[in-house]
Amino acid sequence: MAALTLNYPPGPKSRAGVGIFLNLLDDRRLRFMLRNREEYGDIACFKVGPRRIYQLNNPDDIHYVLVENPAAFYKSPNLKRAAKETIGNGLLTSDGEFHRRQRKLAQPAFHHKRIASYAEVMARYSSDHLEEWLDGGTYDMSHEMMTLTMRIVARTLFDADVQDASAIGEAISLGIETTAQRIVRPNDWWLKLPTPRNRKRRAASALLEQTIMGFITERRQSGEDKGDLLSMLLMAVDEDDGGSMTDQQARDEAMTLFIAGHETTANALTWALYLLATHPAVEARLMEELDSVLNGRLPTFADMPRLTYTQQVINETMRLYPPAWTITREVQEAVEIGGYHIAKGDIVLMSQYVMHHDPRWWPEPERFQPERFAPGWEARVPKYAYFPFGGGPRICIGNQFAQMEAVLILATLLQRAHLTLAPAQRIALAPMVTLRPKYGMRMQVTMR
């Protein structure tokens, strides 16, 4: 590292941080972060209120935070406060020893052999979902993918069927929107106003609570071990202290995995369908692979090693449109990064979106080119120039689940359906907690 200096890194300035705060609203935050990397290089520093924020744009510095010294960095307090009402103190928001304990209790549900057993459900549910589409019909693929992945997560992780997937999906969307707004608004007074929107938020929160606690109550009463995530959460015993999860802890973990377990994959699939609809040559190559490997049958776990181009399409989609597009951490003890002293209480920000669009690692970064991820790509690109699932001890616990799900769903759907963008479709980014299409993704279905 360079010699330590007490100077701050370069970065954008504004009176009282007002201009910077405005740049962190809606899709402006993506342009703001891209400009920071372009204008200030590997590390940019700016203030929002009393907080000093360091944006890290170098793979080695990101590796230091996520892998080399993760104990010195806790989840952003803004995220914890904003997400507390919806997901509580689950894997996404907890820290320290409590997080390590909870992750150890949940990890067996994502063991390689268990994930393999989920493949049949993923392909079958995708095939069943296709039966709901009419030839020539137009559908919002953002909504369709949310519904499909929610059904899959409910079945694989909770051995349950969601009775009203549309209502629950809308409730989750509203919860995510509220969380995103609370992250940038330090005071929650606006949530207490008796507005129709706030009444809808409370009803949505109650529906989610009722759904997840229904899963837990039913399983507690039956005492049945179904070998799924919920059974593992309720029956797991910590070998160090002999303790088990309370209903509240199980609720927080179940809610976290229920929401995160379908939201991110659904967004990745929506963007993949959009990219394939606008890049016919890539779609044609993908169809050649599906015809060769599957020949019209449903994909299985055993097909995964041969669906290489399908996986490359998913990887490239998550490069261009990473579902989790930024990571923030609060510094717990003074550290040195890039030759700069970063004090306890400061915030470090690492953006997958920024790193995935950096021309140093990705020539023509706006171009959709799945071949970037041909075998051997890891040796050509610094590890934390691409990190759609985070990294280190806090890497997404369901990353293998999500990757397999995305490949199997895409393979199942595209074997039987050709999708084109609906006329006058508006494409824009909505960087909330995840990176969604702002206006949905209306597409017309033509059955093959």
Side-chain angles (χ1 to χ4, degrees), residues 41 57 101 111 122 150 163 166 187 191 193 283 356 446:
N57 306 313
R101 177 181 183 272
H111 186 276
M122 294 171 176
M150 185 195 309
Q163 297 303 313
S166 292
N187 193 302
L191 286 173
L193 297 176
E283 184 190 28
H356 294 184
T446 303

Side-chain angles (χ1 to χ4, degrees), residues 76-151:
S76 161
N78 276 3
L79 173 63
K80 291 182 182 180
R81 179 188 58 79
K84 183 177 181 180
E85 181 179 330
T86 304
I87 62 175
N89 197 31
L91 288 175
L92 182 66
T93 52
S94 59
D95 281 302
E97 186 57 38
F98 181 80
H99 175 270
R100 285 188 288 274
R101 177 181 183 272
Q102 295 295 95
R103 186 172 179 115
K104 185 168 66 173
L105 293 175
Q107 189 69 57
F110 296 95
H111 186 276
H112 178 75
K113 289 183 179 178
R114 187 165 296 279
I115 286 176
S117 72
Y118 300 148
E120 187 271 336
V121 172
M122 294 171 176
R124 177 165 51 87
Y125 272 48
S126 301
S127 180
D128 290 347
H129 196 82
L130 270 167
E131 300 298 330
E132 300 175 11
W133 293 353
L134 298 175
D135 189 14
T138 298
Y139 304 91
D140 178 1
M141 284 300 148
S142 180
H143 172 79
E144 295 296 310
M145 294 303 100
M146 291 288 178
T147 300
L148 173 56
T149 56
M150 185 195 309
R151 288 170 174 164

